[in-house]
Amino acid sequence: KAGVTQTPRYLIKTRGQQVTLSCSPISGHRSVSWYQQTPGQGLQFLFEYFSETQRNKGNFPGRFSGRQFSNSRSEMNVSTLELGDSALYLCASSLDRAGNTEAFFGQGTRLTVV
Amino acid sequence: SQKIEQNSEALNIQEGKTATLTCNYTNYSPAYLQWYRQDPGRGPVFLLLIRENEKEKRKERLKVTFDTTLKQSLFHITASQPADSATYLCALPTSYNTDKLIFGTGTRLQVFP
């Protein structure tokens, strides 16, 4: 079966702009989690969606938001981009609960803010 | 808050030997702990999940232990191969049994022929 698909793979944006990233989970998976990965901080949890509801949220500013659609596809939006938002953004899908079952990660979207 | 400590220095071992990676946590003992493998430029790949009532879990050449007294998990790769070279991450819930995960910064394993 198809894995987790993230689009786009690479993105370059200017400070102050906004960006939307997309994640299509594995068919049948209802939980989608988003992470930011940087060399200094490692993988940091952004939020988790389950059946179109945000179930968990990390410690990121309100500029970071997300949503999940009825087909479980999820989008993440970052507004007013800052240089420090440059990172690899990863989404992970799982069948039910995000943490207590196997999570499948996508290849990520590499965002560069200039 | 919970903190995870993984050895940030790379672990270099010879092919055929057993690699042992450590994950220490500082606060409460979680209901479960996960291990992932990550290759450069790719997303992490799930390897094993171990629950608090399990002392040990195995999958092919992989073995994970979970010692809630020591607040530590050990990840072993037996008969290591150059293809095992990657960064290995441990992850656990931010509070006892939540779905919100905190990841360690990972340990890079390099297996030499």
Side-chain angles (χ1 to χ4, degrees):
Chain A
K1 57 183 173 183
V4 177
T5 303
Q6 289 189 247
T7 56
R9 287 294 311 279
Y10 302 93
L11 209 46
I12 300 176
K13 288 286 189 178
T14 306
R15 265 183 308 175
Q17 286 186 312
Q18 68 94 27
V19 68
T20 300
L21 312 181
S22 179
C23 172
S24 293
I26 291 172
S27 177
H29 284 195
R30 296 191 294 168
S31 170
V32 174
S33 297
W34 287 90
Y35 294 85
Q36 180 196 67
Q37 188 172 34
T38 57
Q41 298 292 322
L43 265 165
Q44 291 190 287
F45 176 84
L46 280 155
F47 26 67
E48 184 227 348
Y49 286 88
F50 182 84
S51 293
E52 301 179 67
T53 301
Q54 187 180 85
R55 199 157 62 168
N56 281 294
K57 191 175 189 306
N59 299 323
F60 278 81
R63 299 186 296 108
F64 292 81
S65 62
R67 59 179 175 167
Q68 186 180 34
F69 302 95
S70 58
N71 61 358
S72 292
R73 191 177 73 84
S74 178
E75 285 182 349
M76 190 194 111
N77 185 277
V78 188
S79 62
T80 321
L81 284 165
E82 300 176 0
L83 295 179
D85 297 332
S86 295
L88 180 66
Y89 289 88
L90 292 157
C91 84
S93 81
S94 57
L95 199 55
D96 190 353
R97 291 184 59 193
N100 209 10
T101 57
E102 181 173 358
F104 296 83
F105 280 82
Q107 297 269 50
T109 294
R110 172 75 62 187
L111 171 65
T112 302
V113 182
V114 297
Chain B
S1 61
Q2 185 73 284
K3 283 187 170 47
I4 298 177
E5 295 162 358
Q6 290 188 262
N7 194 341
S8 57
E9 291 179 15
L11 178 63
N12 300 312
I13 65 165
Q14 194 174 22
E15 184 175 8
K17 301 288 187 190
T18 296
T20 298
L21 286 70
T22 305
C23 174
N24 294 305
Y25 53 92
T26 60
N27 203 342
Y28 58 87
S29 272
Y32 62 90
L33 187 148
Q34 301 182 354
W35 282 90
Y36 289 81
R37 168 189 172 135
Q38 187 173 25
D39 292 283
R42 304 180 77 89
V45 174
F46 174 87
L47 295 174
L48 282 165
L49 180 153
I50 186 165
R51 294 192 165 84
E52 60 178 335
N53 60 346
E54 298 173 316
K55 291 266 188 282
E56 181 182 296
K57 201 128 182 216
R58 291 174 186 262
K59 180 182 173 184
E60 297 171 354
R61 294 183 296 112
L62 309 180
K63 184 178 90 171
V64 170
T65 62
F66 193 6
D67 189 326
T68 55
T69 303
L70 293 179
K71 296 188 177 181
Q72 181 181 79
S73 175
L74 297 178
F75 177 80
H76 307 271
I77 305 176
T78 57
S80 58
Q81 304 165 359
D84 295 327
S85 299
T87 296
Y88 291 86
L89 307 164
C90 75
L92 45 90
T94 56
S95 61
Y96 176 65
N97 198 22
T98 184
D99 299 328
K100 187 171 150 183
L101 292 177
I102 178 174
F103 279 78
T105 51
T107 298
R108 198 162 73 85
L109 173 67
Q110 189 77 38
V111 181
F112 293 97

